[in-house]
Amino acid sequence: MGKLTDKIQMQEAEITSASMADIAFLLIVFFMVTSVFSATKGLDFKLPSDDENNAPAEREEAIAFKVLEDGSFEMDGRPAVREDILPYVAPKLERWPDKPIIIYTRPQAPYSGMVLVYDELRKTTLPVDMGGLGIAKLPNISIPTYREVREYERLFGVNPFEQAVQ
Amino acid sequence: MRLRKIKEVKANIPTSSMADIAFLLIVFFMVTTKFDVDRTRVTLPKSNVRAEVPKGSAYVVLYKEAGIVGFKFSDGDQMSHGVPDLSALETEVVAVAARDSTTPFVIKAEGDTTYQNIDDVMDMLRQSGVTDIILLTEQRTVGDT
């Protein structure tokens, strides 16, 4: 018998990873194209649920805001601007953190006017170095719906939110 | 004298770390990505206080076309679609609220929409048992009125 000359050739086992980077970059491009960063933030707001026994905010005790048709607003019956809000409410909320605040917006007033007032009031919870008051508790803000306004009108004959506080 | 042969160095760019970088980027985009369920262009009102909208929030969109307010709705999974009026919108909202009453609802509306329209939507949401709403806003910057 002759000498065996054919050596069995050993093949190294390997997993081909050359295309992995291609797949990875394809996924990167996909996520880059579909991702959204900044457009999904807003003012959170809690609606009162109907089953809760909600005590109506006392009109006389409350700080009343009235947003007008041109986007301006009145604070306790006097015309005011955005910068006036925090200095006005700060001492009142320090004395009584649960003081009711009512934001009544006239039907034809712009939505941005109401957001402006609500945003400024929400700033009370921001730290002082960020322009807030550093109050931990959310202010007791109520925004009457027109259904409620009509109910008041039916009961009292006038819209109490349009009346000036005496 | 015998001259030493200059050793030739093969030029190559090391690419072994490329896949690591790529996967790092993938993980980053996967974590930060939010699929936009509504792409209606509206001029949002501006605010300083802005909270992150939770994933899966339902969207109620109020947009203006030729001065008329139109509605769009998304349950948070599907892309938003137009709804003809408030009662049709209510049907959609009730269906989502019945599935999970804790679903947050996002109100995305033009800043100059009259408040009557917003009140109609808010009142309808309240009647449907929704408690968590988010008013979508843009960041107020220095110089904005």
Side-chain angles (χ1 to χ4, degrees), chain A residues 8-14:
Chain A
I8 296 164
Q9 216 176 2
M10 283 281 267
Q11 206 167 12
E12 225 174 90
E14 63 167 343

Side-chain angles (χ1 to χ4, degrees), chain A residues 12-70:
Chain A
E12 225 174 90
E14 63 167 343
I15 298 166
T16 50
S17 59
S19 62
M20 195 171 71
D22 297 347
I23 298 164
F25 278 105
L26 188 86
L27 285 169
I28 291 175
V29 171
F30 171 71
F31 282 110
M32 276 175 75
V33 169
T34 54
S35 66
V36 180
F37 286 102
S38 62
T40 51
K41 279 186 176 180
L43 276 164
D44 54 325
F45 178 61
K46 289 256 185 270
L47 285 174
S49 58
D50 268 348
D51 48 291
E52 269 173 44
N53 208 348
N54 296 306
E58 287 297 329
R59 179 74 180 83
E60 290 76 19
E61 293 171 349
I63 306 172
F65 288 91
K66 182 162 74 182
V67 182
L68 310 174
E69 284 81 355
D70 59 356

